[in-house]
Amino acid sequence: MTNLVGTTTERIAALVAPHVDRPFRARQVAHWIVRRHAVSFDDMTDLSLALRRQLGDLFEIRDPEVVASTASGDGSTKYLFRLADGVTVEGVSMPDGSKVTLCLSSQAGCAVGCTFCVTGALGAGRNLTADEIVGQYRIMMRSAHAEAERINIVFMGMGEPLLNTTHLGDALDVLFETVSPKRITVSTAGILPGVRWLAERPRRPKLAISLNAPDQDRRREVMPISARYPLDELMNAVRAFPLERGRRITFEYVLIRGFNDAVDDAVSVARLLRGIPSKVNVIPLNEDPVHFPHLRRPDERTVDGFARALRDAGVTVTVRWSKGLDVAAACGQLRGRHQARSTAGDRVT
Ligand code: SF4
């Protein structure tokens, strides 16, 4: 049965049109699914009971199943979603007053293998389809954020979104119907073909680059993908990335004690970003004694010193002490725990 989740208004209307008496009925159905996050045809109270039953026999409205949701002391909630084939992934909602940021997963694992990331340490997993990506958003919106005035979506959950461009593109087309592209960020470890793919799309979300080191040698150490997509080529692609007015590229920089946290490193990062409308999110490492016991978070003074050196060099900086630490929902901690496996051999390098 065709699942109508993860499908644009136009496409839903086209699918439903042959089964309704008037064209506007098909758009009504699409409106319920795309904009009102309906879970069943029974929700569609402005359709006749007979039509609702008929549509229910032809189509399904299926989201992932919520296996668990865990609230953090800081207000964020981590969701564990089970997909139709039993695979599990995680998503996080982070409310902030009338705003909310929803962190979505794009893959059930990650083959990129960044050494500071639990998802990467657990190995590769399959691509999520558009309905599985949009379903995470629908569930989180229904659960807690229907009234939020401003919604931001970040593809910073499990997986490398630019290794899943087909389904990501379809999901973005649906998400753009209710969330402005300028409020959606796709974060990548630097998959060059993916960055170029994004650059060519007619409507683009914001781009974030996971940088994490000021030079190729050190970047390659923590991000093995850098061997395939070297830093200089990545920076060329970033410089060529078309930016809408007022937009900037975000660079994420996980700060690791004694590895990339020196004031000189901050100066090198500032030099690397010169001429690029950008901002840097400094993310003190979320330690994980099991998967990377040798990596430590710098102390607060070092973090402050690093951020200050960037600012002094003219860079816009935010220090992000990750939300959801107490429920393992912070950056690099998502694992979809029921299906995790260790498959270093599956890594993309
Ligand atoms: S940081 Fe992102 S790209 Fe790197 S391993 Fe983790 S999920 Fe994959």
Side-chain angles (χ1 to χ4, degrees):
M1 208 183 280
T2 305
N3 184 11
L4 296 181
V5 172
T7 309
T8 59
T9 293
E10 212 171 307
R11 176 87 183 119
I12 294 175
L15 286 166
V16 170
H19 309 286
V20 293
D21 51 354
R22 300 193 199 142
F24 78 88
R25 294 258 178 251
R27 295 195 79 78
Q28 262 176 308
V29 173
H31 183 88
W32 273 105
I33 296 170
V34 174
R35 295 183 177 273
R36 301 187 67 175
H37 314 309
V39 289
S40 155
F41 290 104
D42 292 335
D43 292 345
M44 304 179 189
T45 46
D46 49 3
L47 303 184
S48 72
L49 191 57
L51 179 56
R52 281 184 258 160
R53 287 205 175 132
Q54 185 196 344
L55 292 174
D57 289 339
L58 294 166
F59 302 103
E60 61 180 339
I61 305 171
R62 180 171 34 81
D63 287 321
E65 180 192 347
V66 179
V67 180
S69 64
T70 317
S72 160
D74 63 18
S76 56
T77 301
K78 180 172 74 168
Y79 294 82
L80 182 68
F81 302 111
R82 186 185 293 125
L83 311 178
D85 60 356
V87 162
T88 54
V89 297
E90 295 183 336
V92 186
S93 77
M94 295 162 280
D96 179 10
S98 59
K99 297 181 287 183
V100 63
T101 300
L102 306 178
C103 178
L104 306 185
S105 291
S106 56
Q107 297 182 306
C110 189
V112 172
C114 303
T115 60
F116 51 82
C117 172
V118 171
T119 310
L122 295 171
R126 71 166 173 85
N127 285 337
L128 301 197
T129 52
D131 59 302
E132 291 166 341
I133 294 171
V134 174
Q136 298 169 58
Y137 159 71
R138 283 165 43 88
I139 288 169
M140 289 195 265
M141 288 301 294
R142 279 199 306 270
S143 300
H145 307 299
E147 306 304 323
E149 281 169 24
R150 194 195 290 173
I151 298 148
N152 296 305
I153 292 177
V154 293
F155 281 88
M156 297 183 186
M158 293 168 62
E160 163 55 63
L162 294 186
L163 287 176
N164 184 15
T165 50
T166 302
H167 300 310
L168 175 70
D170 290 345
L172 286 173
D173 287 343
V174 179
L175 294 171
F176 286 164
E177 293 200 44
T178 48
V179 182
S180 163
K182 68 180 182 206
R183 303 220 172 279
I184 300 181
T185 300
V186 169
S187 173
T188 178
I191 308 298
L192 276 176
V195 173
R196 294 187 189 115
W197 168 85
L198 204 56
E200 283 168 12
R201 285 182 66 82
R203 294 184 84 194
R204 276 178 297 277
K206 292 197 295 184
L207 176 65
I209 301 288
S210 189
L211 183 64
N212 307 318
D215 54 66
Q216 169 67 6
D217 285 349
R218 270 185 290 172
R219 191 164 190 270
R220 190 172 161 168
E221 218 177 296
V222 284
M223 303 184 74
I225 194 72
S226 218
R228 184 186 287 190
Y229 303 120
L231 184 57
D232 55 348
E233 289 181 33
L234 175 62
M235 295 310 292
N236 286 341
V238 167
R239 283 176 201 282
F241 194 83
L243 282 181
E244 288 77 0
R245 217 163 127 226
R247 284 208 199 171
R248 293 184 281 191
I249 308 277
T250 299
F251 289 88
E252 288 143 6
Y253 193 97
V254 172
L255 211 53
I256 302 169
R257 188 191 296 177
F259 174 72
N260 62 359
D261 61 349
V263 165
D264 281 354
D265 297 332
V267 172
S268 300
V269 168
R271 200 177 303 127
L272 191 68
L273 305 190
R274 200 169 286 155
I276 301 173
S278 59
K279 62 174 177 173
V280 174
N281 284 339
V282 172
I283 307 164
L285 175 77
N286 294 311
E287 295 177 1
D288 188 298
V290 175
H291 296 99
F292 34 85
H294 54 295
L295 301 182
R296 305 302 306 274
R297 166 190 289 223
D299 60 32
E300 224 167 309
R301 228 180 56 188
T302 307
V303 176
D304 288 347
F306 187 89
R308 196 177 324 112
L310 278 174
R311 282 191 197 103
D312 289 348
V315 176
T316 304
V317 186
T318 306
V319 176
R320 285 200 356 222
W321 297 95
S322 289
K323 288 197 159 199
L325 273 172
D326 53 339
V327 293
C331 269
Q333 292 188 316
L334 301 185
R335 61 192 76 200
R337 56 180 177 251
H338 294 311
Q339 50 80 56
R341 62 199 173 98
S342 183
T343 51
D346 287 345
R347 284 179 187 166
V348 177
T349 51

